[in-house]
Amino acid sequence: MAAIEHPNLGDLRPSQIMTTFGIGAIVELPYISALVMGLDDWPLNPELVAEISEPRLLQAVRWALGHQVQRLLTPPVAPDSEGRRNPFAREEHEGLPIATFPRWMLCPRCALLAPLSSGLFKLDVNPYYPDRTRYVHTNCNKAKEPVVVPARFLAACENGHLDDFPWVEFVHRGPTNCHSILRLIEFGPGGEARDVQVQCDTCKQRRRLQEAFGDMGKASLPMCRGRRPHLRDYESETCGLQVRAIVLGASNLWFPTLFSSLAIPQQSEQLAHLVEMHWSTLQHVHDVAGITLLRQIGQLGDLADHTDDEIWQAIAERREHGDQGADVDPSDLKTPEWRILAYPDPARNTEDFRLRLGEVPQGFAGVLDKVVLVERMREVRAMIGFTRIDAPPDPDEAPTNTAPKRMRISRRDPEWVPAAETRGEGIFIQFREAEIQAWLGRPAVRDWAERFASSHEAWRRARGIEPPEANYPGLRYVLLHSFAHALMRQLTLECGYNAASVRERIYSRNPGAPNDEPMAGVLIYTAAPDSEGTLGGLVGLGKPEQLGRHITVALHHASLCASDPLCAEHPPSADGLTLHAAACHACMFAPETSCERGNKYLDRSVLAPTVERGDLAFFQQVDAE
């Protein structure tokens, strides 16, 4: 399966490559569907990629993928061009590599279903209008070279493999020697599987697609072949799972496995921190003359205030003491961030991270400890793999390097992984630990925590995650997570933010962890890929009078839901189907890119009294003056 060799077919933002159209994902173009290929095919042209410096995140990636990982690189980005594109320019042939997938195509005129290897379909490339690239049926008996469309059914398994739907075996109910000529006939306008039939013109066999789904699919579909189309190979070891029929464009066809961290000051001295942040460039400097050269060409940036000898001394110390610690467990990425946010020190502000202590809104001082305005921040995300069918475990939930369902992003152990950085602003809200403890000690809250723990075990047991009782975040996390969603929803509804542009970062840790204090705080932030970040609107909402009003309204909305009483009566599930209580799309759920836990561990009844019960509300005694 060769990658498409022609000019650009479109543009993707770096953030989209991390969250929506990364390695192994299918990009639906106007006329074809394309699969994003693995790192082995990515170009490493230094003019198109850039190295991102974020030592903590790199250590976490090494923890998951191995010590051979050396760099975090941006996806290839073609330089901006003015006017009409030149299809013969070199940069038009460089970018994110893709290949046509699925390989089976359907002619909408004659209903012929055949693979590209049959030679019946021809690639029609328009170099001046790349979005018009398509395949046509050259010998159709119904029309002259009609445009064909991808077959909209695929086969996938929980181990991350993806394959074309076994059309020939399916219609013949097993292996066959028939020289098949297949057609896909639709009998209804809805396009449902029960209205779609595949038939063989050669032997007159026919079968409805509904037999490929559900319990019937378990008896009619073959075992997985271990195909990895994004790597152009098959798994060397037997997969052992049966494939599932899945529709092209299904939301569970691809889930990225991401690590993310905030670029926080790691060194107490300003110069050491600057060297750390510019290490991707300074690591190639071998003497003072190299620093002098960087100064002459204007590449030192904010290091230019220091002398060449001072910078060289800091580089030498970085080489001597850097990377000596153990790899960072990704579940511990938040601890250093908590220490910076919970104990803000303006003296440690940098170009990429700037804090200012705010004021707790009037009426909330009894439950909130402090408000910190994050005037500037930089977030870096790195992709280490992906899953299909089931979403990957959260970094805080299970050790990612032991998850068997994560698919590789390269055939060999990668020496680099794709990453993207965004800059923005946020509001950090810290809860009072004593009030958290008092709330958790209420008899009704203790009983509710036990029901959530049972729901957590049932959910993990239903998905074969062992041990089922492990990694339960506790009702503390449910409270903080629900508060973050309620506040994010209020900010997006009233302040004009796009729902997908506001994100959360939850800092939750129960007492008793060795050598670590308990954590109870949320960071609500927005970020953009532009180097200037955002414009200060979210920080402006952190003023005490503004923030107090928004929290009050958010809690009022949390007490009600358009789906009540059905939503309010929803308890923690005992059958393992869900991991939330009183929460739904009408009240608490957030876009996938905004929520760090996939809308799990949510319950608005722990925030404010609902129509079902009022003995769980943490904020029920708050007096907003």
Coordinates of all heavy atoms in Angstrom, one line a residue, residues 398-455:
A398 N -4.0 4.2 35.0 CA -3.3 2.9 34.8 C -2.0 3.2 34.2 O -1.8 4.1 33.4 CB -4.1 1.9 34.0
P399 N -1.0 2.4 34.5 CA 0.3 2.5 33.8 C 0.2 2.3 32.3 O -0.1 1.2 31.9 CB 1.2 1.4 34.5 CG 0.5 1.1 35.7 CD -1.0 1.3 35.5
T400 N 0.5 3.3 31.5 CA 0.3 3.2 30.1 C 1.2 2.2 29.4 O 0.9 1.6 28.4 CB 0.5 4.6 29.5 OG1 -0.3 5.6 30.2 CG2 0.1 4.6 28.0
N401 N 2.4 2.0 30.0 CA 3.4 1.1 29.3 C 3.0 -0.3 29.5 O 3.6 -1.2 29.0 CB 4.8 1.4 29.8 CG 5.0 1.0 31.3 OD1 4.0 1.0 32.0 ND2 6.2 0.9 31.7
T402 N 2.0 -0.6 30.3 CA 1.5 -2.0 30.4 C 0.2 -2.2 29.7 O -0.4 -3.3 29.8 CB 1.4 -2.4 31.9 OG1 0.4 -1.5 32.5 CG2 2.7 -2.2 32.6
A403 N -0.4 -1.2 29.1 CA -1.7 -1.4 28.4 C -1.5 -2.1 27.1 O -0.8 -1.6 26.2 CB -2.3 0.0 28.1
P404 N -2.0 -3.3 26.9 CA -1.7 -4.1 25.7 C -2.5 -3.6 24.5 O -2.1 -4.0 23.4 CB -2.2 -5.5 26.1 CG -3.3 -5.2 27.1 CD -2.9 -4.0 27.9
K405 N -3.4 -2.7 24.7 CA -4.2 -2.3 23.5 C -3.7 -1.1 22.8 O -4.3 -0.7 21.8 CB -5.7 -2.1 24.0 CG -6.3 -3.3 24.6 CD -7.8 -3.1 25.0 CE -8.4 -4.3 25.7 NZ -9.8 -4.0 26.1
R406 N -2.6 -0.5 23.3 CA -2.1 0.7 22.6 C -1.3 0.2 21.4 O -0.4 -0.6 21.4 CB -1.2 1.4 23.6 CG -0.8 2.8 23.0 CD 0.2 3.5 23.9 NE 1.5 2.9 23.8 CZ 2.3 2.6 24.8 NH1 1.8 2.8 26.1 NH2 3.5 2.0 24.7
M407 N -1.7 0.8 20.2 CA -1.0 0.5 19.0 C 0.2 1.3 18.8 O 0.3 2.5 19.2 CB -2.0 0.7 17.8 CG -1.4 0.5 16.4 SD -0.6 -1.2 16.2 CE -2.1 -2.2 16.4
R408 N 1.2 0.7 18.2 CA 2.5 1.4 17.9 C 2.3 2.5 16.9 O 1.4 2.4 16.0 CB 3.6 0.4 17.5 CG 3.9 -0.6 18.5 CD 4.9 -1.7 17.9 NE 6.1 -1.0 17.4 CZ 7.2 -0.9 18.2 NH1 7.2 -1.4 19.4 NH2 8.3 -0.4 17.7
I409 N 3.2 3.5 16.9 CA 3.1 4.5 15.9 C 4.3 4.4 14.9 O 4.4 5.3 14.0 CB 3.1 5.9 16.5 CG1 4.3 6.1 17.4 CG2 1.8 6.1 17.3 CD1 4.3 7.5 18.1
S410 N 5.1 3.4 15.1 CA 6.2 3.2 14.1 C 6.6 1.7 14.2 O 6.3 1.0 15.2 CB 7.4 4.1 14.4 OG 8.0 3.8 15.7
R411 N 7.2 1.2 13.2 CA 7.6 -0.2 13.2 C 8.7 -0.5 14.1 O 8.8 -1.5 14.8 CB 8.0 -0.7 11.7 CG 6.9 -0.8 10.8 CD 7.3 -1.3 9.4 NE 8.1 -0.4 8.7 CZ 7.7 0.5 7.9 NH1 6.4 0.7 7.7 NH2 8.5 1.3 7.2
R412 N 9.7 0.4 14.2 CA 10.8 0.3 15.1 C 10.5 1.2 16.4 O 9.6 2.0 16.3 CB 12.1 0.8 14.5 CG 12.5 -0.1 13.3 CD 13.7 0.6 12.6 NE 13.4 1.9 12.1 CZ 14.3 2.7 11.5 NH1 15.6 2.3 11.4 NH2 14.0 3.9 11.1
D413 N 11.2 0.9 17.4 CA 11.1 1.8 18.6 C 11.4 3.2 18.2 O 12.5 3.5 17.7 CB 12.0 1.3 19.7 CG 11.6 0.0 20.3 OD1 10.4 -0.4 20.2 OD2 12.4 -0.7 20.9
P414 N 10.5 4.2 18.4 CA 10.7 5.5 17.9 C 11.8 6.3 18.6 O 12.0 6.1 19.8 CB 9.4 6.2 18.1 CG 8.8 5.5 19.2 CD 9.2 4.0 19.1
E415 N 12.6 7.1 17.9 CA 13.6 8.0 18.5 C 13.0 9.4 18.7 O 13.7 10.2 19.3 CB 14.8 8.0 17.6 CG 15.5 6.7 17.4 CD 16.8 6.8 16.6 OE1 17.0 7.9 16.0 OE2 17.4 5.8 16.4
W416 N 11.8 9.6 18.2 CA 11.1 10.9 18.4 C 9.6 10.6 18.3 O 9.2 9.6 17.8 CB 11.5 11.9 17.4 CG 11.2 11.5 16.0 CD1 12.0 10.7 15.2 CD2 10.1 11.9 15.2 NE1 11.3 10.6 13.9 CE2 10.2 11.3 13.9 CE3 8.9 12.7 15.5 CZ2 9.2 11.5 12.9 CZ3 8.0 12.9 14.5 CH2 8.1 12.3 13.2
V417 N 8.8 11.5 18.9 CA 7.4 11.4 18.8 C 6.8 12.8 18.4 O 7.4 13.8 18.7 CB 6.7 10.9 20.1 CG1 7.2 9.5 20.5 CG2 7.1 11.9 21.3
P418 N 5.6 12.8 17.8 CA 5.0 14.1 17.4 C 4.5 14.8 18.6 O 3.9 14.1 19.5 CB 3.9 13.6 16.4 CG 3.6 12.2 16.8 CD 4.9 11.6 17.2
A419 N 4.6 16.1 18.6 CA 4.1 16.9 19.7 C 3.7 18.2 19.2 O 4.0 18.6 18.1 CB 5.3 17.1 20.7
A420 N 2.9 18.9 20.0 CA 2.3 20.2 19.6 C 2.3 21.1 20.9 O 2.0 20.5 22.0 CB 1.0 20.1 18.9
E421 N 2.5 22.3 20.7 CA 2.4 23.2 21.9 C 1.4 24.3 21.6 O 1.2 24.8 20.5 CB 3.8 23.9 22.2 CG 4.4 24.7 21.0 CD 5.8 25.3 21.4 OE1 6.2 25.1 22.5 OE2 6.4 25.9 20.5
T422 N 0.8 24.7 22.7 CA -0.2 25.9 22.6 C 0.1 26.8 23.8 O 0.7 26.4 24.8 CB -1.6 25.4 22.8 OG1 -1.8 24.6 24.0 CG2 -2.0 24.5 21.6
R423 N -0.2 28.0 23.6 CA 0.0 29.1 24.6 C -1.4 29.7 25.0 O -2.2 29.9 24.1 CB 0.9 30.1 24.2 CG 2.4 29.6 24.1 CD 3.3 30.7 23.5 NE 4.7 30.3 23.7 CZ 5.4 29.5 23.0 NH1 4.8 29.0 21.9 NH2 6.7 29.2 23.2
G424 N -1.6 30.0 26.2 CA -2.8 30.5 26.6 C -2.8 31.1 28.0 O -1.8 31.6 28.5
E425 N -4.0 31.0 28.7 CA -4.2 31.6 30.0 C -5.2 30.8 30.8 O -5.8 29.9 30.2 CB -4.7 33.0 29.9 CG -6.0 33.0 29.0 CD -6.6 34.4 28.8 OE1 -6.7 35.1 29.8 OE2 -6.9 34.7 27.7
G426 N -5.3 31.0 32.1 CA -6.3 30.2 32.8 C -6.5 30.8 34.2 O -5.9 31.8 34.7
I427 N -7.4 30.1 34.9 CA -7.8 30.4 36.3 C -7.6 29.1 37.1 O -8.2 28.1 36.8 CB -9.2 30.9 36.4 CG1 -9.5 32.1 35.5 CG2 -9.6 31.3 37.9 CD1 -10.9 32.5 35.4
F428 N -6.8 29.2 38.2 CA -6.6 28.1 39.1 C -7.3 28.4 40.4 O -7.2 29.4 41.0 CB -5.1 27.9 39.4 CG -4.8 26.8 40.4 CD1 -4.9 25.5 40.1 CD2 -4.4 27.2 41.7 CE1 -4.7 24.5 41.1 CE2 -4.2 26.2 42.7 CZ -4.3 24.9 42.3
I429 N -8.1 27.4 40.8 CA -9.0 27.5 42.0 C -8.6 26.4 42.9 O -8.7 25.2 42.6 CB -10.5 27.5 41.7 CG1 -10.8 28.6 40.7 CG2 -11.3 27.6 42.9 CD1 -12.2 28.6 40.2
Q430 N -8.1 26.8 44.1 CA -7.8 25.7 45.1 C -8.8 25.7 46.2 O -9.3 26.7 46.7 CB -6.4 26.1 45.7 CG -5.9 25.1 46.8 CD -4.6 25.4 47.4 OE1 -3.9 26.3 46.9 NE2 -4.2 24.7 48.4
F431 N -9.2 24.5 46.5 CA -10.2 24.2 47.6 C -9.5 24.1 48.9 O -8.4 23.7 49.0 CB -11.0 22.9 47.3 CG -12.1 23.1 46.2 CD1 -11.7 23.4 44.9 CD2 -13.4 22.8 46.5 CE1 -12.6 23.6 43.9 CE2 -14.4 22.9 45.5 CZ -14.0 23.3 44.2
R432 N -10.3 24.4 50.0 CA -9.7 24.3 51.3 C -9.8 22.8 51.7 O -10.8 22.1 51.7 CB -10.6 25.1 52.3 CG -10.4 26.6 52.2 CD -11.0 27.3 53.4 NE -10.8 28.7 53.3 CZ -9.6 29.4 53.7 NH1 -8.7 28.6 54.2 NH2 -9.5 30.7 53.6
E433 N -8.6 22.3 52.1 CA -8.5 20.9 52.4 C -9.3 20.5 53.6 O -9.9 19.4 53.6 CB -7.0 20.5 52.7 CG -6.7 19.1 53.0 CD -7.1 18.2 51.8 OE1 -7.1 18.6 50.7 OE2 -7.5 17.0 52.1
A434 N -9.4 21.4 54.6 CA -10.2 21.0 55.8 C -11.7 20.9 55.5 O -12.4 20.0 56.0 CB -10.0 22.1 56.9
E435 N -12.2 21.7 54.6 CA -13.6 21.6 54.2 C -13.8 20.3 53.3 O -14.9 19.7 53.4 CB -14.0 22.8 53.4 CG -14.0 24.1 54.2 CD -15.0 24.0 55.3 OE1 -16.1 23.5 55.1 OE2 -14.7 24.5 56.4
I436 N -12.8 20.0 52.5 CA -13.0 18.7 51.7 C -13.1 17.5 52.7 O -13.9 16.6 52.5 CB -11.7 18.5 50.8 CG1 -11.7 19.6 49.7 CG2 -11.7 17.2 50.2 CD1 -12.6 19.4 48.5
Q437 N -12.2 17.5 53.7 CA -12.2 16.4 54.7 C -13.5 16.4 55.4 O -14.0 15.3 55.7 CB -11.0 16.6 55.6 CG -9.6 16.4 55.0 CD -9.4 15.0 54.5 OE1 -10.0 14.1 54.9 NE2 -8.3 14.8 53.7
A438 N -14.0 17.5 55.9 CA -15.3 17.5 56.6 C -16.4 17.0 55.7 O -17.3 16.3 56.2 CB -15.5 18.9 57.1
W439 N -16.4 17.4 54.5 CA -17.5 17.0 53.6 C -17.4 15.4 53.4 O -18.4 14.8 53.4 CB -17.3 17.7 52.3 CG -18.3 17.3 51.2 CD1 -19.6 17.5 51.1 CD2 -17.9 16.5 50.0 NE1 -20.2 16.9 50.0 CE2 -19.2 16.3 49.3 CE3 -16.8 16.0 49.5 CZ2 -19.2 15.6 48.1 CZ3 -16.8 15.3 48.3 CH2 -18.0 15.1 47.6
L440 N -16.2 14.9 53.1 CA -16.0 13.5 52.9 C -16.4 12.7 54.2 O -16.7 11.5 54.0 CB -14.6 13.2 52.5 CG -14.1 13.7 51.1 CD1 -12.6 13.5 50.9 CD2 -14.9 13.0 50.0
G441 N -16.4 13.3 55.3 CA -16.7 12.6 56.5 C -18.2 12.5 56.8 O -18.6 11.8 57.8
R442 N -19.1 13.2 56.0 CA -20.5 13.0 56.2 C -21.0 11.6 56.0 O -20.5 11.0 55.0 CB -21.3 14.0 55.3 CG -21.0 15.5 55.5 CD -21.8 16.3 54.5 NE -21.4 17.6 54.4 CZ -21.9 18.5 53.5 NH1 -22.8 18.0 52.6 NH2 -21.4 19.7 53.4
P443 N -21.9 11.1 56.7 CA -22.3 9.7 56.5 C -22.9 9.5 55.1 O -22.6 8.5 54.5 CB -23.4 9.5 57.6 CG -23.0 10.5 58.7 CD -22.5 11.6 58.0
A444 N -23.7 10.4 54.6 CA -24.3 10.3 53.3 C -23.2 10.3 52.2 O -23.3 9.5 51.2 CB -25.3 11.3 53.0
V445 N -22.2 11.1 52.4 CA -21.1 11.2 51.4 C -20.3 10.0 51.4 O -19.9 9.5 50.4 CB -20.3 12.5 51.7 CG1 -19.1 12.5 50.7 CG2 -21.1 13.7 51.5
R446 N -20.0 9.4 52.6 CA -19.3 8.2 52.7 C -20.0 7.0 52.0 O -19.4 6.2 51.2 CB -19.0 7.8 54.2 CG -18.0 8.7 54.9 CD -17.4 7.9 56.1 NE -18.5 7.5 57.0 CZ -18.9 8.3 58.0 NH1 -18.4 9.4 58.3 NH2 -19.9 7.8 58.8
D447 N -21.3 6.9 52.2 CA -22.1 5.9 51.5 C -22.0 6.1 50.0 O -21.9 5.1 49.2 CB -23.5 5.9 52.0 CG -23.7 5.5 53.4 OD1 -22.7 4.9 53.9 OD2 -24.7 5.8 54.0
W448 N -22.1 7.4 49.5 CA -22.1 7.7 48.1 C -20.7 7.3 47.5 O -20.6 6.8 46.4 CB -22.4 9.1 47.9 CG -22.9 9.5 46.5 CD1 -22.3 10.3 45.6 CD2 -24.1 9.0 45.8 NE1 -23.0 10.4 44.4 CE2 -24.1 9.6 44.6 CE3 -25.1 8.2 46.2 CZ2 -25.2 9.4 43.6 CZ3 -26.2 7.9 45.3 CH2 -26.2 8.5 44.1
A449 N -19.7 7.6 48.3 CA -18.3 7.2 47.8 C -18.1 5.7 47.6 O -17.5 5.3 46.7 CB -17.3 7.8 48.8
E450 N -18.8 5.0 48.5 CA -18.7 3.5 48.4 C -19.4 3.0 47.1 O -19.0 2.1 46.4 CB -19.3 2.8 49.6 CG -18.5 3.0 50.9 CD -19.1 2.4 52.1 OE1 -20.2 1.8 51.9 OE2 -18.5 2.5 53.2
R451 N -20.6 3.7 46.8 CA -21.3 3.3 45.6 C -20.5 3.7 44.4 O -20.5 2.9 43.4 CB -22.7 4.0 45.6 CG -23.6 3.6 46.7 CD -25.0 4.1 46.5 NE -25.6 3.6 45.3 CZ -26.9 3.8 45.0 NH1 -27.6 4.6 45.7 NH2 -27.4 3.3 43.9
F452 N -19.8 4.8 44.4 CA -19.0 5.2 43.3 C -17.8 4.2 43.1 O -17.4 3.8 42.0 CB -18.4 6.6 43.4 CG -19.0 7.6 42.4 CD1 -20.0 8.5 42.8 CD2 -18.6 7.6 41.1 CE1 -20.5 9.4 41.9 CE2 -19.1 8.4 40.2 CZ -20.1 9.4 40.6
A453 N -17.2 3.8 44.3 CA -16.1 2.8 44.2 C -16.6 1.5 43.6 O -15.9 0.8 42.8 CB -15.6 2.6 45.6
S454 N -17.8 1.0 44.0 CA -18.4 -0.2 43.4 C -18.6 0.0 41.9 O -18.4 -1.0 41.1 CB -19.7 -0.5 44.1 OG -19.5 -0.8 45.5
S455 N -19.1 1.2 41.5 CA -19.3 1.4 40.1 C -18.0 1.4 39.3 O -17.9 0.9 38.2 CB -20.0 2.8 39.9 OG -20.1 3.1 38.5

